PDB file of all heavy atoms in Angstrom:
ATOM      1  N   ILE D 114      14.319  11.259 -14.816  1.00 98.00           N
ATOM      2  CA  ILE D 114      13.076  10.867 -15.506  1.00 98.00           C
ATOM      3  C   ILE D 114      12.199  10.109 -14.511  1.00 98.00           C
ATOM      4  O   ILE D 114      12.696   9.240 -13.785  1.00 98.00           O
ATOM      5  CB  ILE D 114      13.421   9.961 -16.708  1.00 98.00           C
ATOM      6  CG1 ILE D 114      14.294  10.728 -17.718  1.00 98.00           C
ATOM      7  CG2 ILE D 114      12.161   9.416 -17.378  1.00 98.00           C
ATOM      8  CD1 ILE D 114      14.962   9.840 -18.759  1.00 98.00           C
ATOM      9  N   PHE D 115      10.916  10.455 -14.475  1.00 98.00           N
ATOM     10  CA  PHE D 115      10.019   9.719 -13.574  1.00 98.00           C
ATOM     11  C   PHE D 115       8.595   9.747 -14.123  1.00 98.00           C
ATOM     12  O   PHE D 115       8.255  10.574 -14.973  1.00 98.00           O
ATOM     13  CB  PHE D 115      10.077  10.286 -12.141  1.00 98.00           C
ATOM     14  CG  PHE D 115       9.860  11.764 -12.039  1.00 98.00           C
ATOM     15  CD1 PHE D 115       8.590  12.313 -12.100  1.00 98.00           C
ATOM     16  CD2 PHE D 115      10.946  12.624 -11.901  1.00 98.00           C
ATOM     17  CE1 PHE D 115       8.390  13.681 -12.007  1.00 98.00           C
ATOM     18  CE2 PHE D 115      10.764  13.994 -11.819  1.00 98.00           C
ATOM     19  CZ  PHE D 115       9.479  14.530 -11.869  1.00 98.00           C
ATOM     20  N   PRO D 116       7.757   8.815 -13.642  1.00 98.00           N
ATOM     21  CA  PRO D 116       6.394   8.712 -14.181  1.00 98.00           C
ATOM     22  C   PRO D 116       5.512   9.897 -13.816  1.00 98.00           C
ATOM     23  O   PRO D 116       5.596  10.418 -12.702  1.00 98.00           O
ATOM     24  CB  PRO D 116       5.843   7.423 -13.542  1.00 98.00           C
ATOM     25  CG  PRO D 116       6.755   7.087 -12.411  1.00 98.00           C
ATOM     26  CD  PRO D 116       8.051   7.771 -12.644  1.00 98.00           C
ATOM     27  N   ASP D 117       4.666  10.295 -14.774  1.00 98.00           N
ATOM     28  CA  ASP D 117       3.688  11.368 -14.564  1.00 98.00           C
ATOM     29  C   ASP D 117       2.353  10.873 -15.099  1.00 98.00           C
ATOM     30  O   ASP D 117       2.243  10.682 -16.303  1.00 98.00           O
ATOM     31  CB  ASP D 117       4.159  12.620 -15.299  1.00 98.00           C
ATOM     32  CG  ASP D 117       3.104  13.736 -15.284  1.00 98.00           C
ATOM     33  OD1 ASP D 117       2.031  13.553 -14.674  1.00 98.00           O
ATOM     34  OD2 ASP D 117       3.367  14.778 -15.913  1.00 98.00           O
ATOM     35  N   PRO D 118       1.319  10.647 -14.254  1.00 98.00           N
ATOM     36  CA  PRO D 118       1.327  10.939 -12.834  1.00 98.00           C
ATOM     37  C   PRO D 118       2.243   9.990 -12.041  1.00 98.00           C
ATOM     38  O   PRO D 118       2.358   8.823 -12.379  1.00 98.00           O
ATOM     39  CB  PRO D 118      -0.145  10.743 -12.429  1.00 98.00           C
ATOM     40  CG  PRO D 118      -0.725   9.842 -13.471  1.00 98.00           C
ATOM     41  CD  PRO D 118       0.019  10.154 -14.728  1.00 98.00           C
ATOM     42  N   GLY D 119       2.849  10.550 -10.978  1.00 98.00           N
ATOM     43  CA  GLY D 119       3.752   9.759 -10.147  1.00 98.00           C
ATOM     44  C   GLY D 119       3.771  10.304  -8.729  1.00 98.00           C
ATOM     45  O   GLY D 119       3.182  11.363  -8.450  1.00 98.00           O
ATOM     46  N   PHE D 120       4.475   9.599  -7.870  1.00 97.00           N
ATOM     47  CA  PHE D 120       4.558   9.999  -6.469  1.00 97.00           C
ATOM     48  C   PHE D 120       5.118  11.426  -6.367  1.00 97.00           C
ATOM     49  O   PHE D 120       6.121  11.743  -7.007  1.00 97.00           O
ATOM     50  CB  PHE D 120       5.452   8.998  -5.717  1.00 97.00           C
ATOM     51  CG  PHE D 120       5.675   9.309  -4.274  1.00 97.00           C
ATOM     52  CD1 PHE D 120       4.628   9.683  -3.442  1.00 97.00           C
ATOM     53  CD2 PHE D 120       6.955   9.212  -3.723  1.00 97.00           C
ATOM     54  CE1 PHE D 120       4.839   9.959  -2.095  1.00 97.00           C
ATOM     55  CE2 PHE D 120       7.173   9.474  -2.381  1.00 97.00           C
ATOM     56  CZ  PHE D 120       6.117   9.856  -1.566  1.00 97.00           C
ATOM     57  N   VAL D 121       4.457  12.245  -5.542  1.00 96.00           N
ATOM     58  CA  VAL D 121       4.772  13.680  -5.507  1.00 96.00           C
ATOM     59  C   VAL D 121       6.233  13.986  -5.150  1.00 96.00           C
ATOM     60  O   VAL D 121       6.773  15.018  -5.567  1.00 96.00           O
ATOM     61  CB  VAL D 121       3.848  14.433  -4.507  1.00 96.00           C
ATOM     62  CG1 VAL D 121       2.434  14.529  -5.055  1.00 96.00           C
ATOM     63  CG2 VAL D 121       3.846  13.785  -3.127  1.00 96.00           C
ATOM     64  N   SER D 122       6.889  13.112  -4.411  1.00 97.00           N
ATOM     65  CA  SER D 122       8.253  13.418  -3.964  1.00 97.00           C
ATOM     66  C   SER D 122       9.287  13.401  -5.090  1.00 97.00           C
ATOM     67  O   SER D 122      10.362  13.987  -4.943  1.00 97.00           O
ATOM     68  CB  SER D 122       8.705  12.410  -2.894  1.00 97.00           C
ATOM     69  OG  SER D 122       7.946  12.577  -1.739  1.00 97.00           O
ATOM     70  N   TYR D 123       8.993  12.702  -6.201  1.00 98.00           N
ATOM     71  CA  TYR D 123      10.029  12.584  -7.235  1.00 98.00           C
ATOM     72  C   TYR D 123      10.415  13.949  -7.796  1.00 98.00           C
ATOM     73  O   TYR D 123      11.599  14.257  -7.955  1.00 98.00           O
ATOM     74  CB  TYR D 123       9.577  11.658  -8.372  1.00 98.00           C
ATOM     75  CG  TYR D 123       9.199  10.267  -7.929  1.00 98.00           C
ATOM     76  CD1 TYR D 123       8.220   9.539  -8.600  1.00 98.00           C
ATOM     77  CD2 TYR D 123       9.815   9.665  -6.833  1.00 98.00           C
ATOM     78  CE1 TYR D 123       7.870   8.254  -8.200  1.00 98.00           C
ATOM     79  CE2 TYR D 123       9.468   8.392  -6.419  1.00 98.00           C
ATOM     80  CZ  TYR D 123       8.486   7.693  -7.108  1.00 98.00           C
ATOM     81  OH  TYR D 123       8.136   6.434  -6.699  1.00 98.00           O
ATOM     82  N   ASP D 124       9.409  14.760  -8.089  1.00 97.00           N
ATOM     83  CA  ASP D 124       9.674  16.095  -8.625  1.00 97.00           C
ATOM     84  C   ASP D 124      10.376  16.948  -7.565  1.00 97.00           C
ATOM     85  O   ASP D 124      11.412  17.564  -7.823  1.00 97.00           O
ATOM     86  CB  ASP D 124       8.340  16.728  -9.045  1.00 97.00           C
ATOM     87  CG  ASP D 124       8.520  18.094  -9.654  1.00 97.00           C
ATOM     88  OD1 ASP D 124       8.837  18.159 -10.856  1.00 97.00           O
ATOM     89  OD2 ASP D 124       8.370  19.096  -8.933  1.00 97.00           O
ATOM     90  N   ALA D 125       9.827  16.938  -6.352  1.00 96.00           N
ATOM     91  CA  ALA D 125      10.374  17.793  -5.285  1.00 96.00           C
ATOM     92  C   ALA D 125      11.808  17.398  -4.937  1.00 96.00           C
ATOM     93  O   ALA D 125      12.695  18.260  -4.833  1.00 96.00           O
ATOM     94  CB  ALA D 125       9.475  17.692  -4.055  1.00 96.00           C
ATOM     95  N   LEU D 126      12.059  16.109  -4.777  1.00 97.00           N
ATOM     96  CA  LEU D 126      13.407  15.680  -4.374  1.00 97.00           C
ATOM     97  C   LEU D 126      14.422  15.902  -5.492  1.00 97.00           C
ATOM     98  O   LEU D 126      15.604  16.129  -5.226  1.00 97.00           O
ATOM     99  CB  LEU D 126      13.393  14.208  -3.945  1.00 97.00           C
ATOM    100  CG  LEU D 126      12.703  13.930  -2.604  1.00 97.00           C
ATOM    101  CD1 LEU D 126      12.609  12.426  -2.346  1.00 97.00           C
ATOM    102  CD2 LEU D 126      13.435  14.614  -1.443  1.00 97.00           C
ATOM    103  N   THR D 127      13.963  15.852  -6.750  1.00 97.00           N
ATOM    104  CA  THR D 127      14.876  16.169  -7.866  1.00 97.00           C
ATOM    105  C   THR D 127      15.293  17.631  -7.776  1.00 97.00           C
ATOM    106  O   THR D 127      16.484  17.969  -7.904  1.00 97.00           O
ATOM    107  CB  THR D 127      14.191  15.873  -9.224  1.00 97.00           C
ATOM    108  OG1 THR D 127      13.850  14.494  -9.260  1.00 97.00           O
ATOM    109  CG2 THR D 127      15.098  16.200 -10.385  1.00 97.00           C
ATOM    110  N   HIS D 128      14.330  18.532  -7.509  1.00 96.00           N
ATOM    111  CA  HIS D 128      14.673  19.950  -7.336  1.00 96.00           C
ATOM    112  C   HIS D 128      15.637  20.123  -6.162  1.00 96.00           C
ATOM    113  O   HIS D 128      16.606  20.889  -6.241  1.00 96.00           O
ATOM    114  CB  HIS D 128      13.406  20.767  -7.077  1.00 96.00           C
ATOM    115  CG  HIS D 128      12.646  21.108  -8.320  1.00 96.00           C
ATOM    116  ND1 HIS D 128      13.191  21.836  -9.351  1.00 96.00           N
ATOM    117  CD2 HIS D 128      11.383  20.824  -8.692  1.00 96.00           C
ATOM    118  CE1 HIS D 128      12.295  21.980 -10.311  1.00 96.00           C
ATOM    119  NE2 HIS D 128      11.184  21.372  -9.939  1.00 96.00           N
ATOM    120  N   ILE D 129      15.343  19.462  -5.058  1.00 96.00           N
ATOM    121  CA  ILE D 129      16.169  19.616  -3.857  1.00 96.00           C
ATOM    122  C   ILE D 129      17.603  19.137  -4.133  1.00 96.00           C
ATOM    123  O   ILE D 129      18.563  19.678  -3.603  1.00 96.00           O
ATOM    124  CB  ILE D 129      15.507  18.905  -2.656  1.00 96.00           C
ATOM    125  CG1 ILE D 129      14.230  19.678  -2.261  1.00 96.00           C
ATOM    126  CG2 ILE D 129      16.457  18.790  -1.458  1.00 96.00           C
ATOM    127  CD1 ILE D 129      13.316  18.960  -1.283  1.00 96.00           C
ATOM    128  N   ALA D 130      17.735  18.126  -5.007  1.00 97.00           N
ATOM    129  CA  ALA D 130      19.069  17.643  -5.383  1.00 97.00           C
ATOM    130  C   ALA D 130      19.677  18.506  -6.492  1.00 97.00           C
ATOM    131  O   ALA D 130      20.732  18.172  -7.029  1.00 97.00           O
ATOM    132  CB  ALA D 130      18.986  16.189  -5.833  1.00 97.00           C
ATOM    133  N   ASP D 131      18.973  19.605  -6.845  1.00 96.00           N
ATOM    134  CA  ASP D 131      19.436  20.543  -7.871  1.00 96.00           C
ATOM    135  C   ASP D 131      19.412  19.945  -9.277  1.00 96.00           C
ATOM    136  O   ASP D 131      20.114  20.411 -10.175  1.00 96.00           O
ATOM    137  CB  ASP D 131      20.846  21.065  -7.548  1.00 96.00           C
ATOM    138  CG  ASP D 131      20.990  22.534  -7.909  1.00 96.00           C
ATOM    139  OD1 ASP D 131      20.000  23.123  -8.380  1.00 96.00           O
ATOM    140  OD2 ASP D 131      22.100  23.075  -7.741  1.00 96.00           O
ATOM    141  N   GLY D 132      18.614  18.898  -9.449  1.00 97.00           N
ATOM    142  CA  GLY D 132      18.477  18.286 -10.762  1.00 97.00           C
ATOM    143  C   GLY D 132      17.306  18.890 -11.522  1.00 97.00           C
ATOM    144  O   GLY D 132      16.613  19.790 -11.023  1.00 97.00           O
ATOM    145  N   THR D 133      17.094  18.372 -12.734  1.00 97.00           N
ATOM    146  CA  THR D 133      15.993  18.849 -13.576  1.00 97.00           C
ATOM    147  C   THR D 133      14.970  17.723 -13.726  1.00 97.00           C
ATOM    148  O   THR D 133      15.289  16.673 -14.287  1.00 97.00           O
ATOM    149  CB  THR D 133      16.523  19.238 -14.977  1.00 97.00           C
ATOM    150  OG1 THR D 133      17.558  20.203 -14.793  1.00 97.00           O
ATOM    151  CG2 THR D 133      15.429  19.811 -15.853  1.00 97.00           C
ATOM    152  N   PRO D 134      13.754  17.943 -13.223  1.00 97.00           N
ATOM    153  CA  PRO D 134      12.742  16.895 -13.351  1.00 97.00           C
ATOM    154  C   PRO D 134      12.347  16.683 -14.802  1.00 97.00           C
ATOM    155  O   PRO D 134      12.179  17.646 -15.544  1.00 97.00           O
ATOM    156  CB  PRO D 134      11.545  17.445 -12.546  1.00 97.00           C
ATOM    157  CG  PRO D 134      12.077  18.585 -11.755  1.00 97.00           C
ATOM    158  CD  PRO D 134      13.263  19.120 -12.493  1.00 97.00           C
ATOM    159  N   LYS D 135      12.205  15.424 -15.202  1.00 98.00           N
ATOM    160  CA  LYS D 135      11.747  15.127 -16.560  1.00 98.00           C
ATOM    161  C   LYS D 135      10.610  14.098 -16.472  1.00 98.00           C
ATOM    162  O   LYS D 135      10.827  12.896 -16.631  1.00 98.00           O
ATOM    163  CB  LYS D 135      12.910  14.583 -17.386  1.00 98.00           C
ATOM    164  CG  LYS D 135      12.699  14.770 -18.854  1.00 98.00           C
ATOM    165  CD  LYS D 135      13.972  14.617 -19.638  1.00 98.00           C
ATOM    166  CE  LYS D 135      13.726  14.810 -21.116  1.00 98.00           C
ATOM    167  NZ  LYS D 135      14.891  14.450 -21.919  1.00 98.00           N
ATOM    168  N   PRO D 136       9.395  14.598 -16.172  1.00 98.00           N
ATOM    169  CA  PRO D 136       8.265  13.677 -16.069  1.00 98.00           C
ATOM    170  C   PRO D 136       7.892  13.115 -17.425  1.00 98.00           C
ATOM    171  O   PRO D 136       7.949  13.839 -18.423  1.00 98.00           O
ATOM    172  CB  PRO D 136       7.132  14.557 -15.514  1.00 98.00           C
ATOM    173  CG  PRO D 136       7.571  15.969 -15.702  1.00 98.00           C
ATOM    174  CD  PRO D 136       9.053  15.997 -15.928  1.00 98.00           C
ATOM    175  N   VAL D 137       7.539  11.837 -17.472  1.00 98.00           N
ATOM    176  CA  VAL D 137       7.101  11.222 -18.727  1.00 98.00           C
ATOM    177  C   VAL D 137       5.744  10.546 -18.528  1.00 98.00           C
ATOM    178  O   VAL D 137       5.445  10.061 -17.433  1.00 98.00           O
ATOM    179  CB  VAL D 137       8.125  10.190 -19.281  1.00 98.00           C
ATOM    180  CG1 VAL D 137       9.410  10.874 -19.717  1.00 98.00           C
ATOM    181  CG2 VAL D 137       8.413   9.077 -18.279  1.00 98.00           C
ATOM    182  N   GLY D 138       4.952  10.504 -19.584  1.00 98.00           N
ATOM    183  CA  GLY D 138       3.587   9.961 -19.507  1.00 98.00           C
ATOM    184  C   GLY D 138       3.559   8.437 -19.416  1.00 98.00           C
ATOM    185  O   GLY D 138       4.587   7.764 -19.574  1.00 98.00           O
ATOM    186  N   LEU D 139       2.363   7.911 -19.172  1.00 98.00           N
ATOM    187  CA  LEU D 139       2.172   6.478 -18.962  1.00 98.00           C
ATOM    188  C   LEU D 139       1.391   5.867 -20.116  1.00 98.00           C
ATOM    189  O   LEU D 139       0.781   6.577 -20.918  1.00 98.00           O
ATOM    190  CB  LEU D 139       1.400   6.256 -17.656  1.00 98.00           C
ATOM    191  CG  LEU D 139       2.003   6.884 -16.398  1.00 98.00           C
ATOM    192  CD1 LEU D 139       1.073   6.663 -15.202  1.00 98.00           C
ATOM    193  CD2 LEU D 139       3.380   6.300 -16.101  1.00 98.00           C
ATOM    194  N   ARG D 140       1.376   4.525 -20.166  1.00 98.00           N
ATOM    195  CA  ARG D 140       0.513   3.815 -21.123  1.00 98.00           C
ATOM    196  C   ARG D 140      -0.948   4.005 -20.694  1.00 98.00           C
ATOM    197  O   ARG D 140      -1.218   4.445 -19.574  1.00 98.00           O
ATOM    198  CB  ARG D 140       0.825   2.329 -21.099  1.00 98.00           C
ATOM    199  CG  ARG D 140       2.215   1.923 -21.560  1.00 98.00           C
ATOM    200  CD  ARG D 140       2.367   0.428 -21.295  1.00 98.00           C
ATOM    201  NE  ARG D 140       3.586  -0.163 -21.812  1.00 98.00           N
ATOM    202  CZ  ARG D 140       4.377  -0.966 -21.092  1.00 98.00           C
ATOM    203  NH1 ARG D 140       4.084  -1.240 -19.829  1.00 98.00           N
ATOM    204  NH2 ARG D 140       5.464  -1.496 -21.615  1.00 98.00           N
ATOM    205  N   ASP D 141      -1.877   3.564 -21.552  1.00 96.00           N
ATOM    206  CA  ASP D 141      -3.301   3.674 -21.209  1.00 96.00           C
ATOM    207  C   ASP D 141      -3.642   2.901 -19.934  1.00 96.00           C
ATOM    208  O   ASP D 141      -4.560   3.251 -19.208  1.00 96.00           O
ATOM    209  CB  ASP D 141      -4.181   3.133 -22.347  1.00 96.00           C
ATOM    210  CG  ASP D 141      -4.176   4.089 -23.526  1.00 96.00           C
ATOM    211  OD1 ASP D 141      -3.730   5.245 -23.354  1.00 96.00           O
ATOM    212  OD2 ASP D 141      -4.588   3.660 -24.637  1.00 96.00           O
ATOM    213  N   ASP D 142      -2.912   1.794 -19.683  1.00 96.00           N
ATOM    214  CA  ASP D 142      -3.196   1.028 -18.460  1.00 96.00           C
ATOM    215  C   ASP D 142      -2.453   1.610 -17.247  1.00 96.00           C
ATOM    216  O   ASP D 142      -2.419   0.992 -16.182  1.00 96.00           O
ATOM    217  CB  ASP D 142      -2.857  -0.455 -18.653  1.00 96.00           C
ATOM    218  CG  ASP D 142      -1.356  -0.708 -18.804  1.00 96.00           C
ATOM    219  OD1 ASP D 142      -0.568   0.268 -18.807  1.00 96.00           O
ATOM    220  OD2 ASP D 142      -0.957  -1.887 -18.906  1.00 96.00           O
ATOM    221  N   LEU D 143      -1.860   2.768 -17.433  1.00 97.00           N
ATOM    222  CA  LEU D 143      -1.170   3.537 -16.378  1.00 97.00           C
ATOM    223  C   LEU D 143       0.139   2.898 -15.910  1.00 97.00           C
ATOM    224  O   LEU D 143       0.678   3.273 -14.865  1.00 97.00           O
ATOM    225  CB  LEU D 143      -2.098   3.830 -15.186  1.00 97.00           C
ATOM    226  CG  LEU D 143      -3.386   4.618 -15.526  1.00 97.00           C
ATOM    227  CD1 LEU D 143      -4.216   4.876 -14.270  1.00 97.00           C
ATOM    228  CD2 LEU D 143      -3.053   5.946 -16.205  1.00 97.00           C
ATOM    229  N   THR D 144       0.684   1.952 -16.684  1.00 98.00           N
ATOM    230  CA  THR D 144       2.047   1.487 -16.404  1.00 98.00           C
ATOM    231  C   THR D 144       3.027   2.371 -17.183  1.00 98.00           C
ATOM    232  O   THR D 144       2.636   3.076 -18.117  1.00 98.00           O
ATOM    233  CB  THR D 144       2.259   0.011 -16.806  1.00 98.00           C
ATOM    234  OG1 THR D 144       1.937  -0.138 -18.193  1.00 98.00           O
ATOM    235  CG2 THR D 144       1.391  -0.920 -15.961  1.00 98.00           C
ATOM    236  N   LEU D 145       4.284   2.292 -16.792  1.00 98.00           N
ATOM    237  CA  LEU D 145       5.333   3.087 -17.441  1.00 98.00           C
ATOM    238  C   LEU D 145       5.970   2.231 -18.535  1.00 98.00           C
ATOM    239  O   LEU D 145       6.444   1.121 -18.258  1.00 98.00           O
ATOM    240  CB  LEU D 145       6.374   3.488 -16.381  1.00 98.00           C
ATOM    241  CG  LEU D 145       7.586   4.284 -16.838  1.00 98.00           C
ATOM    242  CD1 LEU D 145       7.189   5.638 -17.422  1.00 98.00           C
ATOM    243  CD2 LEU D 145       8.556   4.497 -15.665  1.00 98.00           C
ATOM    244  N   ASP D 146       5.979   2.758 -19.755  1.00 98.00           N
ATOM    245  CA  ASP D 146       6.553   2.013 -20.876  1.00 98.00           C
ATOM    246  C   ASP D 146       8.073   2.210 -20.888  1.00 98.00           C
ATOM    247  O   ASP D 146       8.544   3.352 -20.964  1.00 98.00           O
ATOM    248  CB  ASP D 146       5.942   2.555 -22.182  1.00 98.00           C
ATOM    249  CG  ASP D 146       6.304   1.692 -23.385  1.00 98.00           C
ATOM    250  OD1 ASP D 146       7.284   0.924 -23.288  1.00 98.00           O
ATOM    251  OD2 ASP D 146       5.603   1.808 -24.406  1.00 98.00           O
TER     252      ASP D 146
END
Side-chain angles (χ1 to χ4, degrees):
I114 298 166
F115 52 79
D117 173 2
F120 178 45
V121 288
S122 293
Y123 303 149
D124 182 82
L126 288 174
T127 300
H128 279 300
I129 291 168
D131 218 1
T133 304
K135 203 163 180 190
V137 293
L139 305 176
R140 296 173 173 132
D141 287 346
D142 68 358
L143 302 181
T144 57
L145 178 62
D146 189 341

